[in-house]
Amino acid sequence: MSKPDRIRVLVVDDDRMAAAGISAILGTTADIEVVGTCADGTEVRSAVDAHHPDVVLCDVRMPSMDGVAVVRRLHGSNPDVHFLMMTAFDEDGRVLEAIGAGADGFLLKDDDPTRIIDAIRAVAAGDAAFSPRAARQLTEWVQDSRTADLRRDAQAKLAMLTEREREYALATVTGASDSELASRFFVSETTIKSALTSIRTKWGVRTRTDVAVVVARAGN
């Protein structure tokens, strides 16, 4: 039976060995519990209804219904469920589609286990999470696809910030966590969280991933 203080995770991956490996990694923690696994996106709705996960850790590429379609289908009707995507980054644009659909973050499948665990904790707490290598891919994709209008809009958003907020915003594209940013700027995590909240409010965006997209579009 689940412990009420644990983060409930549903793992979605058509590679059963990968799903088993991720489940084993998460099983080493005291605060995360894998409540179920799915091998295809078509199974996720019923699994969410049955297991009530806090986080759905979902592969991007799957047969029948891929991870992007899962987020697009379930995000609006399950506001208490957070979606964290996993990818090998062999399909340009799919992760950006997932973010647009409402995903809260994304990781590379071979990211360090600690990074995966921290990302689950972050999205469960209502934040977004993405690994540094994934952040570089995001930046490249956004810069390749941006238009002049998008760039001007992004630069205008950066101009709305204080000097310190701008520094924090620019740093989000590295994929650093709040604790890593706090160490980099010699401030507390509370200061970082407060500043990022202020930035999101000024820009009218939802997550730190949205902040990183704006920064990438600005071309800084």
Side-chain angles (χ1 to χ4, degrees), residues 47-82:
V48 166
D49 291 342
H51 300 296
H52 307 290
D54 301 301
V55 177
V56 175
L57 184 60
C58 188
D59 189 12
V60 170
R61 175 184 283 183
M62 294 181 294
S64 301
M65 180 184 289
D66 67 15
V68 176
V70 167
V71 178
R72 188 175 291 123
R73 181 183 184 189
L74 298 180
H75 177 262
S77 58
N78 295 272
D80 295 329
V81 179
H82 304 281

Side-chain angles (χ1 to χ4, degrees), residues 168 172 178 181 192-201 208:
Y168 297 154
T172 61
D178 287 346
L181 290 179
I192 295 293
K193 290 180 185 296
S194 177
L196 290 177
T197 297
S198 174
I199 292 166
R200 291 196 297 268
T201 299
R208 74 190 298 136

Side-chain angles (χ1 to χ4, degrees), residues 178-220:
D178 287 346
S179 61
E180 290 167 337
L181 290 179
S183 297
R184 182 182 306 176
F185 290 104
F186 303 102
V187 297
S188 68
E189 282 191 57
T190 301
T191 297
I192 295 293
K193 290 180 185 296
S194 177
L196 290 177
T197 297
S198 174
I199 292 166
R200 291 196 297 268
T201 299
K202 288 180 178 180
W203 289 357
V205 299
R206 191 172 60 89
T207 71
R208 74 190 298 136
T209 304
D210 298 323
V211 172
V213 167
V214 171
V215 172
R217 282 177 175 160
N220 289 272

Side-chain angles (χ1 to χ4, degrees), residues 111-129:
D111 270 328
D112 183 90
T114 301
R115 179 73 63 177
I116 296 172
I117 291 168
D118 287 346
I120 289 172
R121 289 170 176 157
V123 299
D127 203 348

